[in-house]
Amino acid sequence: LATVAVGAQAQDFPGGKPISIVVPFAAGGPTDRVARDLAEALRKPLGGGSIVIDNVPGAGSSIGAAKVARANPDGYTLLLNHIGMSTIPTLVRNVPFKVETGFEYLGIVNDVPMTLIAKPQMAATNYKELSAWITANKGKINLGNAGVGSASHLCGLLFQTATKTEMTPVPYKGTAPAITDLIGGQIDLLCDQTTNTSPQIEAKKVKAYAVTTAKRLTTPLLKDLPTLQEEGLKGFEVTIWHGLYAPKGTPPAITKKLNDALKVALKDPEFIKKQEGLGAVVATDGRIEPEGHKKFVAAEIAKWSPIIKAAGVYAD
Ligand code: MLT
């Protein structure tokens, strides 16, 4: 009888009931931006019902992820998270779930470059001058991030290792509050995703010095920024990706509906325009399939774990 019930439920899922997408960082940041744009594009393929964003920040995205891991596996509570899913196993202690087995993988959404930005008062007019300033101010630099395990934390960690510098980490519940303090001059530097930094760079509220991707970006705003590799940081490459997840045990008929809706959303011209306008690249490869998503995260865990351990920084 239960199977019949689940079958019927899956049949008319979501049946007008609101779906909640947990965003494990503060509202207004890059993860939130991707989730809100995606929710807009998912509405139609999921029957036009409401999709609400639930910001649950903390512990490098593991608080929000834990909320979804223990949610009812009925398809109405989803998680939108980024590269943090592959750094949590190494960077965050006492996490009450296993990334690889604690979720149903619904597909990768996009890839997002990062930019190295500074407070507006920064005098440096290019990366070389910024690098000289960093050397001259050793031990006095405040580097913002969105908490241990966040994308900004990972990028900052790699940047300090590559430049053999040590900066004071200033954690926030997301890079929305972090960039507000950077604009105010309370912190000096931030490595953050273009989805969050582009509008501030355009408004000249922060200064941009480089991008973290292997190749230069093509958006009019960011195409003249050098890559950190060009500036001598050999092999430096950090690209942030976002994926969609449901609690483990969500019925296959429902996860299929959610993955089908995601694939429609990823082709939505409005969604693509918004994301590309902010420097993001919407996923079109095999990672948009659940199996491809799962394999990709496992490969990312294997990739980042030794790099993080070599950098010698762990959770709090
Ligand atoms: C991060 O640094 O992990 C994200 O930018 C946090 C956020 O989305 O605010």
mmCIF file of all heavy atoms in Angstrom, residues 97-135:
data_model
loop_
_atom_site.group_PDB
_atom_site.id
_atom_site.type_symbol
_atom_site.label_atom_id
_atom_site.label_comp_id
_atom_site.label_asym_id
_atom_site.label_seq_id
_atom_site.Cartn_x
_atom_site.Cartn_y
_atom_site.Cartn_z
ATOM 1 N N PHE A 97 26.735 14.204 8.648
ATOM 2 C CA PHE A 97 26.287 13.511 7.427
ATOM 3 C C PHE A 97 27.518 13.192 6.583
ATOM 4 O O PHE A 97 28.581 13.778 6.766
ATOM 5 C CB PHE A 97 25.327 14.392 6.616
ATOM 6 C CG PHE A 97 25.927 15.713 6.224
ATOM 7 C CD1 PHE A 97 26.777 15.832 5.124
ATOM 8 C CD2 PHE A 97 25.667 16.870 6.980
ATOM 9 C CE1 PHE A 97 27.353 17.060 4.791
ATOM 10 C CE2 PHE A 97 26.240 18.097 6.651
ATOM 11 C CZ PHE A 97 27.087 18.193 5.563
ATOM 12 N N LYS A 98 27.339 12.255 5.665
ATOM 13 C CA LYS A 98 28.422 11.940 4.720
ATOM 14 C C LYS A 98 28.041 12.588 3.387
ATOM 15 O O LYS A 98 26.913 12.368 2.898
ATOM 16 C CB LYS A 98 28.534 10.421 4.546
ATOM 17 C CG LYS A 98 29.143 9.721 5.779
ATOM 18 C CD LYS A 98 30.576 9.283 5.502
ATOM 19 C CE LYS A 98 31.299 8.725 6.733
ATOM 20 N NZ LYS A 98 31.528 9.792 7.781
ATOM 21 N N VAL A 99 28.932 13.406 2.830
ATOM 22 C CA VAL A 99 28.594 14.103 1.579
ATOM 23 C C VAL A 99 28.237 13.096 0.483
ATOM 24 O O VAL A 99 27.248 13.244 -0.237
ATOM 25 C CB VAL A 99 29.781 14.989 1.125
ATOM 26 C CG1 VAL A 99 29.581 15.479 -0.297
ATOM 27 C CG2 VAL A 99 29.919 16.193 2.074
ATOM 28 N N GLU A 100 29.040 12.039 0.385
ATOM 29 C CA GLU A 100 28.865 11.142 -0.776
ATOM 30 C C GLU A 100 27.664 10.218 -0.658
ATOM 31 O O GLU A 100 27.144 9.729 -1.639
ATOM 32 C CB GLU A 100 30.158 10.344 -1.006
ATOM 33 C CG GLU A 100 31.289 11.273 -1.447
ATOM 34 C CD GLU A 100 32.608 10.519 -1.656
ATOM 35 O OE1 GLU A 100 32.803 9.991 -2.746
ATOM 36 O OE2 GLU A 100 33.382 10.482 -0.707
ATOM 37 N N THR A 101 27.219 9.959 0.600
ATOM 38 C CA THR A 101 26.106 8.988 0.712
ATOM 39 C C THR A 101 24.873 9.591 1.403
ATOM 40 O O THR A 101 23.861 8.920 1.520
ATOM 41 C CB THR A 101 26.580 7.783 1.553
ATOM 42 O OG1 THR A 101 27.081 8.308 2.812
ATOM 43 C CG2 THR A 101 27.689 7.011 0.853
ATOM 44 N N GLY A 102 24.972 10.838 1.810
ATOM 45 C CA GLY A 102 23.874 11.416 2.611
ATOM 46 C C GLY A 102 22.853 12.198 1.814
ATOM 47 O O GLY A 102 21.911 12.744 2.367
ATOM 48 N N PHE A 103 23.046 12.221 0.463
ATOM 49 C CA PHE A 103 22.135 13.035 -0.362
ATOM 50 C C PHE A 103 21.809 12.311 -1.667
ATOM 51 O O PHE A 103 22.558 11.455 -2.118
ATOM 52 C CB PHE A 103 22.804 14.375 -0.719
ATOM 53 C CG PHE A 103 23.126 15.230 0.477
ATOM 54 C CD1 PHE A 103 24.357 15.117 1.117
ATOM 55 C CD2 PHE A 103 22.189 16.128 0.986
ATOM 56 C CE1 PHE A 103 24.653 15.886 2.235
ATOM 57 C CE2 PHE A 103 22.482 16.900 2.101
ATOM 58 C CZ PHE A 103 23.712 16.781 2.724
ATOM 59 N N GLU A 104 20.682 12.737 -2.253
ATOM 60 C CA GLU A 104 20.432 12.351 -3.647
ATOM 61 C C GLU A 104 20.978 13.496 -4.503
ATOM 62 O O GLU A 104 20.708 14.673 -4.210
ATOM 63 C CB GLU A 104 18.928 12.194 -3.916
ATOM 64 C CG GLU A 104 18.226 11.178 -3.040
ATOM 65 C CD GLU A 104 18.743 9.742 -3.241
ATOM 66 O OE1 GLU A 104 19.424 9.472 -4.259
ATOM 67 O OE2 GLU A 104 18.501 8.916 -2.342
ATOM 68 N N TYR A 105 21.768 13.171 -5.495
ATOM 69 C CA TYR A 105 22.400 14.196 -6.337
ATOM 70 C C TYR A 105 21.466 14.541 -7.502
ATOM 71 O O TYR A 105 21.083 13.650 -8.258
ATOM 72 C CB TYR A 105 23.731 13.657 -6.860
ATOM 73 C CG TYR A 105 24.824 13.665 -5.812
ATOM 74 C CD1 TYR A 105 24.708 12.901 -4.653
ATOM 75 C CD2 TYR A 105 25.959 14.437 -5.973
ATOM 76 C CE1 TYR A 105 25.699 12.910 -3.678
ATOM 77 C CE2 TYR A 105 26.952 14.454 -5.007
ATOM 78 C CZ TYR A 105 26.819 13.682 -3.866
ATOM 79 O OH TYR A 105 27.815 13.710 -2.911
ATOM 80 N N LEU A 106 21.130 15.816 -7.635
ATOM 81 C CA LEU A 106 20.135 16.200 -8.659
ATOM 82 C C LEU A 106 20.766 16.904 -9.865
ATOM 83 O O LEU A 106 20.074 17.207 -10.824
ATOM 84 C CB LEU A 106 19.084 17.117 -8.021
ATOM 85 C CG LEU A 106 18.308 16.513 -6.843
ATOM 86 C CD1 LEU A 106 17.351 17.548 -6.255
ATOM 87 C CD2 LEU A 106 17.536 15.265 -7.279
ATOM 88 N N GLY A 107 22.061 17.184 -9.799
ATOM 89 C CA GLY A 107 22.737 17.792 -10.965
ATOM 90 C C GLY A 107 23.511 19.058 -10.609
ATOM 91 O O GLY A 107 23.166 19.769 -9.670
ATOM 92 N N ILE A 108 24.575 19.299 -11.399
ATOM 93 C CA ILE A 108 25.385 20.507 -11.236
ATOM 94 C C ILE A 108 24.691 21.644 -11.997
ATOM 95 O O ILE A 108 24.078 21.425 -13.040
ATOM 96 C CB ILE A 108 26.813 20.278 -11.797
ATOM 97 C CG1 ILE A 108 27.589 19.361 -10.848
ATOM 98 C CG2 ILE A 108 27.559 21.591 -12.026
ATOM 99 C CD1 ILE A 108 28.062 20.012 -9.557
ATOM 100 N N VAL A 109 24.787 22.848 -11.474
ATOM 101 C CA VAL A 109 24.077 24.011 -12.030
ATOM 102 C C VAL A 109 24.999 24.904 -12.862
ATOM 103 O O VAL A 109 24.669 25.299 -13.991
ATOM 104 C CB VAL A 109 23.473 24.845 -10.879
ATOM 105 C CG1 VAL A 109 22.806 26.119 -11.387
ATOM 106 C CG2 VAL A 109 22.476 24.001 -10.079
ATOM 107 N N ASN A 110 26.166 25.237 -12.316
ATOM 108 C CA ASN A 110 27.052 26.173 -13.048
ATOM 109 C C ASN A 110 28.483 26.112 -12.533
ATOM 110 O O ASN A 110 28.768 25.408 -11.555
ATOM 111 C CB ASN A 110 26.520 27.609 -12.887
ATOM 112 C CG ASN A 110 26.623 28.079 -11.439
ATOM 113 O OD1 ASN A 110 27.181 27.384 -10.580
ATOM 114 N ND2 ASN A 110 26.089 29.251 -11.157
ATOM 115 N N ASP A 111 29.346 26.843 -13.203
ATOM 116 C CA ASP A 111 30.731 27.055 -12.748
ATOM 117 C C ASP A 111 30.931 28.562 -12.627
ATOM 118 O O ASP A 111 30.489 29.312 -13.520
ATOM 119 C CB ASP A 111 31.737 26.494 -13.765
ATOM 120 C CG ASP A 111 31.648 24.970 -13.849
ATOM 121 O OD1 ASP A 111 31.993 24.295 -12.859
ATOM 122 O OD2 ASP A 111 31.174 24.473 -14.893
ATOM 123 N N VAL A 112 31.554 29.007 -11.548
ATOM 124 C CA VAL A 112 31.684 30.450 -11.326
ATOM 125 C C VAL A 112 33.133 30.818 -10.987
ATOM 126 O O VAL A 112 33.718 30.235 -10.077
ATOM 127 C CB VAL A 112 30.781 30.922 -10.160
ATOM 128 C CG1 VAL A 112 30.767 32.456 -10.078
ATOM 129 C CG2 VAL A 112 29.362 30.394 -10.315
ATOM 130 N N PRO A 113 33.720 31.754 -11.745
ATOM 131 C CA PRO A 113 35.079 32.188 -11.427
ATOM 132 C C PRO A 113 35.089 33.030 -10.152
ATOM 133 O O PRO A 113 34.039 33.499 -9.709
ATOM 134 C CB PRO A 113 35.468 33.052 -12.631
ATOM 135 C CG PRO A 113 34.358 32.949 -13.616
ATOM 136 C CD PRO A 113 33.157 32.455 -12.907
ATOM 137 N N MET A 114 36.293 33.243 -9.617
ATOM 138 C CA MET A 114 36.431 34.126 -8.458
ATOM 139 C C MET A 114 37.343 35.289 -8.832
ATOM 140 O O MET A 114 38.123 35.218 -9.778
ATOM 141 C CB MET A 114 37.019 33.375 -7.255
ATOM 142 C CG MET A 114 36.175 32.199 -6.810
ATOM 143 S SD MET A 114 36.755 31.481 -5.248
ATOM 144 C CE MET A 114 35.747 32.430 -4.089
ATOM 145 N N THR A 115 37.195 36.370 -8.081
ATOM 146 C CA THR A 115 38.057 37.537 -8.302
ATOM 147 C C THR A 115 38.736 37.889 -6.987
ATOM 148 O O THR A 115 38.135 37.749 -5.922
ATOM 149 C CB THR A 115 37.196 38.759 -8.707
ATOM 150 O OG1 THR A 115 36.054 38.814 -7.846
ATOM 151 C CG2 THR A 115 36.749 38.684 -10.152
ATOM 152 N N LEU A 116 39.977 38.369 -7.095
ATOM 153 C CA LEU A 116 40.672 38.896 -5.917
ATOM 154 C C LEU A 116 40.379 40.395 -5.876
ATOM 155 O O LEU A 116 40.735 41.122 -6.807
ATOM 156 C CB LEU A 116 42.187 38.654 -6.025
ATOM 157 C CG LEU A 116 43.017 39.203 -4.851
ATOM 158 C CD1 LEU A 116 42.671 38.496 -3.550
ATOM 159 C CD2 LEU A 116 44.499 39.093 -5.155
ATOM 160 N N ILE A 117 39.681 40.828 -4.817
ATOM 161 C CA ILE A 117 39.270 42.241 -4.739
ATOM 162 C C ILE A 117 39.772 42.842 -3.426
ATOM 163 O O ILE A 117 40.109 42.121 -2.491
ATOM 164 C CB ILE A 117 37.729 42.398 -4.833
ATOM 165 C CG1 ILE A 117 37.015 41.590 -3.745
ATOM 166 C CG2 ILE A 117 37.244 41.993 -6.220
ATOM 167 C CD1 ILE A 117 35.494 41.798 -3.754
ATOM 168 N N ALA A 118 39.829 44.187 -3.406
ATOM 169 C CA ALA A 118 40.324 44.898 -2.214
ATOM 170 C C ALA A 118 39.406 46.065 -1.881
ATOM 171 O O ALA A 118 38.552 46.463 -2.683
ATOM 172 C CB ALA A 118 41.748 45.410 -2.469
ATOM 173 N N LYS A 119 39.605 46.603 -0.683
ATOM 174 C CA LYS A 119 38.821 47.770 -0.227
ATOM 175 C C LYS A 119 39.049 48.935 -1.179
ATOM 176 O O LYS A 119 40.141 49.031 -1.798
ATOM 177 C CB LYS A 119 39.250 48.152 1.185
ATOM 178 C CG LYS A 119 40.739 48.504 1.312
ATOM 179 C CD LYS A 119 41.166 48.680 2.760
ATOM 180 C CE LYS A 119 42.663 48.972 2.843
ATOM 181 N NZ LYS A 119 43.146 49.021 4.234
ATOM 182 N N PRO A 120 38.114 49.835 -1.317
ATOM 183 C CA PRO A 120 38.234 50.934 -2.294
ATOM 184 C C PRO A 120 39.410 51.856 -2.008
ATOM 185 O O PRO A 120 39.958 52.457 -2.926
ATOM 186 C CB PRO A 120 36.898 51.671 -2.173
ATOM 187 C CG PRO A 120 36.268 51.200 -0.916
ATOM 188 C CD PRO A 120 36.846 49.852 -0.594
ATOM 189 N N GLN A 121 39.846 51.898 -0.732
ATOM 190 C CA GLN A 121 40.980 52.793 -0.376
ATOM 191 C C GLN A 121 42.333 52.219 -0.832
ATOM 192 O O GLN A 121 43.362 52.862 -0.711
ATOM 193 C CB GLN A 121 41.052 53.001 1.152
ATOM 194 C CG GLN A 121 39.805 53.580 1.806
ATOM 195 C CD GLN A 121 38.812 52.498 2.225
ATOM 196 O OE1 GLN A 121 38.838 51.377 1.710
ATOM 197 N NE2 GLN A 121 37.911 52.819 3.133
ATOM 198 N N MET A 122 42.334 50.980 -1.320
ATOM 199 C CA MET A 122 43.620 50.365 -1.693
ATOM 200 C C MET A 122 44.280 51.188 -2.801
ATOM 201 O O MET A 122 43.677 51.417 -3.853
ATOM 202 C CB MET A 122 43.361 48.937 -2.172
ATOM 203 C CG MET A 122 44.604 48.149 -2.545
ATOM 204 S SD MET A 122 45.708 47.855 -1.139
ATOM 205 C CE MET A 122 44.729 46.675 -0.209
ATOM 206 N N ALA A 123 45.516 51.610 -2.571
ATOM 207 C CA ALA A 123 46.209 52.501 -3.532
ATOM 208 C C ALA A 123 46.713 51.719 -4.754
ATOM 209 O O ALA A 123 46.770 52.251 -5.865
ATOM 210 C CB ALA A 123 47.377 53.177 -2.837
ATOM 211 N N ALA A 124 47.033 50.442 -4.580
ATOM 212 C CA ALA A 124 47.613 49.641 -5.675
ATOM 213 C C ALA A 124 46.762 49.759 -6.943
ATOM 214 O O ALA A 124 45.529 49.678 -6.886
ATOM 215 C CB ALA A 124 47.708 48.188 -5.252
ATOM 216 N N THR A 125 47.447 49.960 -8.088
ATOM 217 C CA THR A 125 46.684 50.112 -9.343
ATOM 218 C C THR A 125 46.745 48.837 -10.172
ATOM 219 O O THR A 125 46.153 48.756 -11.230
ATOM 220 C CB THR A 125 47.258 51.267 -10.189
ATOM 221 O OG1 THR A 125 48.624 50.914 -10.490
ATOM 222 C CG2 THR A 125 47.210 52.585 -9.442
ATOM 223 N N ASN A 126 47.508 47.830 -9.723
ATOM 224 C CA ASN A 126 47.535 46.537 -10.430
ATOM 225 C C ASN A 126 47.997 45.456 -9.466
ATOM 226 O O ASN A 126 48.353 45.740 -8.318
ATOM 227 C CB ASN A 126 48.467 46.616 -11.643
ATOM 228 C CG ASN A 126 49.882 46.991 -11.223
ATOM 229 O OD1 ASN A 126 50.372 46.570 -10.178
ATOM 230 N ND2 ASN A 126 50.516 47.841 -12.014
ATOM 231 N N TYR A 127 48.015 44.211 -9.958
ATOM 232 C CA TYR A 127 48.326 43.105 -9.037
ATOM 233 C C TYR A 127 49.749 43.229 -8.484
ATOM 234 O O TYR A 127 49.997 42.976 -7.307
ATOM 235 C CB TYR A 127 48.151 41.741 -9.724
ATOM 236 C CG TYR A 127 48.525 40.610 -8.782
ATOM 237 C CD1 TYR A 127 47.616 40.154 -7.820
ATOM 238 C CD2 TYR A 127 49.809 40.073 -8.789
ATOM 239 C CE1 TYR A 127 47.974 39.174 -6.912
ATOM 240 C CE2 TYR A 127 50.172 39.087 -7.876
ATOM 241 C CZ TYR A 127 49.259 38.646 -6.932
ATOM 242 O OH TYR A 127 49.619 37.693 -6.019
ATOM 243 N N LYS A 128 50.690 43.641 -9.336
ATOM 244 C CA LYS A 128 52.085 43.739 -8.862
ATOM 245 C C LYS A 128 52.203 44.706 -7.683
ATOM 246 O O LYS A 128 52.833 44.417 -6.673
ATOM 247 C CB LYS A 128 53.021 44.192 -10.005
ATOM 248 C CG LYS A 128 53.360 43.031 -10.949
ATOM 249 C CD LYS A 128 54.276 43.413 -12.091
ATOM 250 C CE LYS A 128 54.418 42.215 -13.048
ATOM 251 N NZ LYS A 128 53.125 41.605 -13.384
ATOM 252 N N GLU A 129 51.500 45.847 -7.782
ATOM 253 C CA GLU A 129 51.535 46.820 -6.673
ATOM 254 C C GLU A 129 50.788 46.247 -5.459
ATOM 255 O O GLU A 129 51.208 46.433 -4.327
ATOM 256 C CB GLU A 129 50.900 48.139 -7.123
ATOM 257 C CG GLU A 129 51.754 48.915 -8.113
ATOM 258 C CD GLU A 129 51.049 50.172 -8.622
ATOM 259 O OE1 GLU A 129 50.031 50.595 -8.010
ATOM 260 O OE2 GLU A 129 51.493 50.717 -9.641
ATOM 261 N N LEU A 130 49.741 45.491 -5.711
ATOM 262 C CA LEU A 130 49.012 44.887 -4.581
ATOM 263 C C LEU A 130 49.911 43.879 -3.880
ATOM 264 O O LEU A 130 49.981 43.834 -2.648
ATOM 265 C CB LEU A 130 47.730 44.186 -5.072
ATOM 266 C CG LEU A 130 46.933 43.491 -3.964
ATOM 267 C CD1 LEU A 130 46.240 44.523 -3.075
ATOM 268 C CD2 LEU A 130 45.916 42.504 -4.538
ATOM 269 N N SER A 131 50.643 43.117 -4.683
ATOM 270 C CA SER A 131 51.549 42.108 -4.116
ATOM 271 C C SER A 131 52.619 42.787 -3.255
ATOM 272 O O SER A 131 52.943 42.304 -2.158
ATOM 273 C CB SER A 131 52.185 41.333 -5.277
ATOM 274 O OG SER A 131 53.100 40.422 -4.799
ATOM 275 N N ALA A 132 53.102 43.944 -3.709
ATOM 276 C CA ALA A 132 54.110 44.691 -2.923
ATOM 277 C C ALA A 132 53.487 45.195 -1.619
ATOM 278 O O ALA A 132 54.102 45.119 -0.550
ATOM 279 C CB ALA A 132 54.635 45.859 -3.751
ATOM 280 N N TRP A 133 52.239 45.615 -1.700
ATOM 281 C CA TRP A 133 51.538 46.114 -0.503
ATOM 282 C C TRP A 133 51.368 44.960 0.496
ATOM 283 O O TRP A 133 51.567 45.108 1.695
ATOM 284 C CB TRP A 133 50.164 46.688 -0.888
ATOM 285 C CG TRP A 133 49.362 47.188 0.276
ATOM 286 C CD1 TRP A 133 49.428 48.427 0.857
ATOM 287 C CD2 TRP A 133 48.386 46.442 1.023
ATOM 288 N NE1 TRP A 133 48.553 48.491 1.924
ATOM 289 C CE2 TRP A 133 47.901 47.297 2.049
ATOM 290 C CE3 TRP A 133 47.876 45.130 0.927
ATOM 291 C CZ2 TRP A 133 46.922 46.893 2.966
ATOM 292 C CZ3 TRP A 133 46.909 44.722 1.846
ATOM 293 C CH2 TRP A 133 46.442 45.608 2.850
ATOM 294 N N ILE A 134 51.034 43.770 -0.052
ATOM 295 C CA ILE A 134 50.834 42.596 0.827
ATOM 296 C C ILE A 134 52.144 42.288 1.553
ATOM 297 O O ILE A 134 52.171 42.062 2.771
ATOM 298 C CB ILE A 134 50.341 41.388 0.002
ATOM 299 C CG1 ILE A 134 48.882 41.600 -0.457
ATOM 300 C CG2 ILE A 134 50.472 40.087 0.802
ATOM 301 C CD1 ILE A 134 48.375 40.562 -1.447
ATOM 302 N N THR A 135 53.255 42.320 0.800
ATOM 303 C CA THR A 135 54.563 42.046 1.410
ATOM 304 C C THR A 135 54.887 43.101 2.473
ATOM 305 O O THR A 135 55.318 42.779 3.584
ATOM 306 C CB THR A 135 55.659 42.042 0.314
ATOM 307 O OG1 THR A 135 55.243 41.161 -0.725
ATOM 308 C CG2 THR A 135 57.003 41.618 0.868
#
